[in-house]
Amino acid sequence: MANSASGESIIGRFVKIVSAFDDRHTSMTVAELGRRTGLPVTTTYRLVNDLLRERLLEREPGGDIHIGTRMWELVSRGSKMLGLREAALPFMEDVQAVVQHSTTLGILDSDEVLYIERLGSDKTIVDITKIAGRLPLHATSSGLVLLAHAPAAYQDSFLARPLTKFTETTLTEPSLLRRHLAEIRQRGFAAMPGVIVPESSGIAVPVFGPDNTVRAALSVVVPRNEENAAARVPVLMAAARGISRALGWRGELKGTLRQSH
Amino acid sequence: MANSASGESIIGRFVKIVSAFDDRHTSMTVAELGRRTGLPVTTTYRLVNDLLRERLLEREPGGDIHIGTRMWELVSRGSKMLGLREAALPFMEDVQAVVQHSTTLGILDSDEVLYIERLGSDKTIVDITKIAGRLPLHATSSGLVLLAHAPAAYQDSFLARPLTKFTETTLTEPSLLRRHLAEIRQRGFAAMPGVIVPESSGIAVPVFGPDNTVRAALSVVVPRNEENAAARVPVLMAAARGISRALGWRGELKGTLRQSH
DNA sequence: AGGAGGATTACCATTGAGCGGTAATCCTGA
DNA sequence: TCAGGATTACCGCTCAATGGTAATCCTCCT
């Protein structure tokens, strides 16, 4: 692979181009795209034109380009995210209706929580989760739930590296974290007051797939000063079980119980 | 472009590969992917491996591959769909809370309505809209709204081709449709009883962008036998204005009113 | 154990698609 | 009118991509 002087494949360059767009920069001129990606000018134009031809990119009246509707459609339709989302949404709506604060669904990807769905952006409390946004595992309730149910080998390697301490309550000490993860597995939920942002706290529970492994974490963000945040747990758990069942989960398998840790 | 014997570019093949996945087939073996795309075996394997390397595709334990989380993330984050969705969701939740049936948001793409968001899949009524799914313009309330506010030239070319008659009430006669579109523009909403599915009817209103053009259609699907479906219109309209404003729309421009038809 | 059938990888000669430089042209605002 | 950036046009070089054949792996089934 790599026809280029720099040794990159077209696929690699495609990724560079798509990556140049984010929620802050959804459209830009081709020249600017070239600058952002660092690709040679001519190459950028040629590649962009190829992508325009396939409708993976689109040119707007002003001349700026943006990610094409076709690309969004193809990826959304073929991705497993949609299935998960479809299964989760009705239950998330229920949670949202009762809890009133923002409800999110996150998965484990590349050592971080990737939020794939979110309902109810409540401006009154601080909530930095965004759809298609990422946050560190050890500093979010969703992340802790996902980490707690990940394979032991994975936990080990994750806990081996240095962890950023965002606020006073962020746990970074491996041994303390381990104990906390065990607790999360046992209680079935994670409740973290102000782990990233001091003013808000998150509560998260696991969502299971047919093979009884954890697929996602369902969580709500509430103001930290709320009296008994733990009262939210049953609602979340019920919803998570509903989602799990919609995914094909059949309750905890009594006979062939398989531990992931 | 096209190094291949068949004269396809890599980008084209990339599209073929991604297109091979849909909501019914979210994962498959590489060999099957080759069959579905019609690409030469070796080529399929090489390309898939390149894509796996970039994490645009992912291999699951069984060996099957599926669209990668990275791909979903990159496209979602960079796409304008997210912005539209973020703006619309809070209002859609409100509509959903009041109307109780399913609420959808659709845009015009490739002569069809592409649904980009949907809340409340009510199993009690028939509703064939899916996220990232498509339906014909002339047979859905959303589509009619979008068509009604499209440029005149576009309407002409669209109405020039033969239109499928799905049920008794589907309008296919160009002149009748034109009159109906005018009516929709004037009243500000489209209400179609059983245009695709006889048992349900849809109501849709336009969502405007900063330049006062129509960006999307907000709609609800209700049972056809509901007494006064038209009573839903004000709620929808209020929500649509809210979304429009969130997109930067500043009310109908009195001075420099620009007609799109 | 053996073997059939599919999935996957290894190998390799051929070639044209991608590459990226330079230069011309278009566009926009001052 | 002019300046500076964005975009397109042109072009020779070359190696990455191609896709055939064949070997290997893997999974059931008998």
Side-chain angles (χ1 to χ4, degrees):
Chain A
M1 50 180 344
N3 208 345
S4 62
S6 54
E8 296 174 301
S9 64
I10 313 180
I11 303 293
R13 303 191 148 181
F14 169 76
V15 172
K16 271 196 178 176
I17 286 184
V18 179
S19 305
F21 298 92
D22 59 25
D23 50 347
R24 271 253 92 49
H25 309 83
T26 57
S27 64
M28 64 190 76
T29 169
V30 183
E32 189 181 349
L33 184 59
R35 257 176 271 122
R36 284 172 68 92
T37 55
L39 296 177
V41 214
T42 312
T43 306
T44 311
Y45 279 97
R46 180 169 22 82
L47 232 147
V48 165
N49 282 327
D50 288 356
L51 293 170
L52 285 171
R53 209 165 296 131
E54 293 287 350
R55 293 198 55 219
L56 294 186
L57 292 181
E58 279 168 11
R59 166 160 269 140
E60 38 199 61
D64 286 12
I65 58 164
H66 60 213
I67 291 186
T69 305
R70 177 125 183 265
M71 183 123 98
W72 178 86
E73 180 187 2
L74 287 180
V75 172
S76 298
R77 182 170 320 143
S79 168
K80 300 209 145 173
M81 301 292 107
L82 239 193
L84 185 48
R85 197 206 108 105
E86 294 268 278
L89 202 58
F91 297 98
M92 289 179 69
E93 289 179 41
D94 293 343
V95 172
Q96 177 58 21
V98 175
V99 180
Q100 297 289 356
H101 298 296
S102 81
T103 311
T104 66
L105 188 70
I107 63 171
L108 174 56
D109 183 78
S110 302
D111 307 331
E112 291 179 304
V113 198
L114 176 65
Y115 291 95
I116 65 170
E117 187 51 279
R118 163 185 175 157
L119 280 185
S121 38
D122 184 344
K123 266 77 180 180
T124 64
I125 62 172
V126 180
D127 180 5
I128 58 179
T129 58
K130 286 182 198 159
I131 292 180
R134 295 174 164 276
L135 284 178
L137 282 184
H138 70 292
T140 53
S141 56
S142 301
L144 287 169
V145 162
L146 294 170
L147 185 56
H149 293 85
Y154 179 80
Q155 291 181 8
D156 293 343
S157 74
F158 183 84
L159 293 175
R161 41 193 124 138
L163 302 175
T164 316
K165 195 169 184 69
F166 293 92
T167 69
E168 284 304 309
T169 50
T170 315
L171 289 181
T172 57
E173 183 56 40
S175 58
L176 289 177
L177 257 171
R178 262 180 218 287
R179 199 167 315 145
H180 194 216
L181 293 179
E183 206 176 322
I184 288 168
R185 277 194 298 275
Q186 196 191 329
R187 295 187 309 187
F189 71 93
M192 296 299 295
V195 187
I196 282 197
V197 188
E199 311 85 53
S200 56
S201 60
I203 308 171
V205 298
V207 171
F208 298 90
D211 54 358
N212 221 31
T213 60
V214 170
R215 283 292 159 81
L218 178 69
S219 91
V220 289
V221 177
V222 297
R224 189 175 180 179
N225 55 20
E226 194 173 86
E227 324 76 63
N228 56 341
R232 313 307 205 168
V233 174
V235 186
L236 267 186
M237 280 193 165
R241 288 177 71 98
I243 300 171
S244 301
R245 215 163 262 119
L247 291 175
W249 177 73
R250 300 261 149 260
E252 31 272 290
L253 316 173
K254 291 288 155 50
T256 53
L257 186 93
R258 191 174 311 274
Q259 287 278 42
S260 57
H261 40 266
Chain B
M1 49 180 351
N3 208 344
S4 61
S6 53
E8 296 174 302
S9 64
I10 312 180
I11 303 293
R13 303 191 149 183
F14 169 76
V15 172
K16 271 196 176 175
I17 286 184
V18 179
S19 305
F21 297 93
D22 60 23
D23 51 347
R24 266 258 88 55
H25 309 84
T26 56
S27 64
M28 63 191 75
T29 168
V30 182
E32 189 181 348
L33 184 58
R35 258 176 270 121
R36 285 173 68 92
T37 55
L39 296 177
V41 215
T42 312
T43 306
T44 310
Y45 279 97
R46 181 167 23 81
L47 233 145
V48 165
N49 281 328
D50 288 357
L51 293 169
L52 285 172
R53 209 166 294 130
E54 293 286 351
R55 293 199 55 219
L56 294 186
L57 292 181
E58 279 168 12
R59 166 160 270 140
E60 36 198 63
D64 286 12
I65 58 166
H66 61 213
I67 291 187
T69 306
R70 177 123 182 268
M71 183 123 100
W72 178 86
E73 180 187 4
L74 286 179
V75 172
S76 298
R77 182 171 318 145
S79 168
K80 299 210 144 175
M81 301 291 109
L82 239 194
L84 186 49
R85 198 206 106 105
E86 293 268 278
L89 201 59
F91 296 98
M92 290 180 69
E93 289 180 39
D94 294 343
V95 171
Q96 178 58 22
V98 176
V99 179
Q100 298 289 358
H101 298 296
S102 81
T103 311
T104 65
L105 187 70
I107 63 172
L108 174 55
D109 183 78
S110 303
D111 306 330
E112 291 179 304
V113 199
L114 176 65
Y115 291 94
I116 65 170
E117 188 51 280
R118 164 184 174 157
L119 280 185
S121 39
D122 185 344
K123 266 77 179 180
T124 63
I125 62 172
V126 180
D127 181 5
I128 56 179
T129 58
K130 286 182 198 160
I131 292 180
R134 295 173 165 277
L135 285 178
L137 282 184
H138 70 291
T140 53
S141 56
S142 300
L144 288 168
V145 163
L146 293 170
L147 185 56
H149 293 85
Y154 179 80
Q155 291 182 9
D156 293 343
S157 74
F158 182 84
L159 294 175
R161 44 195 122 138
L163 303 175
T164 316
K165 195 169 184 69
F166 292 91
T167 69
E168 284 304 309
T169 50
T170 315
L171 289 181
T172 56
E173 183 57 40
S175 58
L176 289 177
L177 256 171
R178 263 179 218 285
R179 200 167 314 148
H180 194 217
L181 292 180
E183 205 177 323
I184 288 168
R185 277 195 298 275
Q186 196 191 330
R187 294 188 309 188
F189 71 93
M192 296 299 294
V195 187
I196 284 196
V197 187
E199 311 86 50
S200 56
S201 59
I203 307 171
V205 299
V207 171
F208 297 91
D211 55 357
N212 221 30
T213 59
V214 170
R215 282 291 158 80
L218 178 69
S219 91
V220 290
V221 177
V222 296
R224 188 175 181 177
N225 55 20
E226 193 173 89
E227 323 77 61
N228 55 342
R232 313 304 205 171
V233 174
V235 185
L236 266 186
M237 281 194 165
R241 289 178 71 98
I243 300 171
S244 301
R245 216 164 261 118
L247 291 174
W249 177 72
R250 301 260 149 260
E252 30 272 289
L253 315 173
K254 290 290 155 49
T256 53
L257 186 93
R258 191 174 312 273
Q259 285 278 43
S260 58
H261 40 266

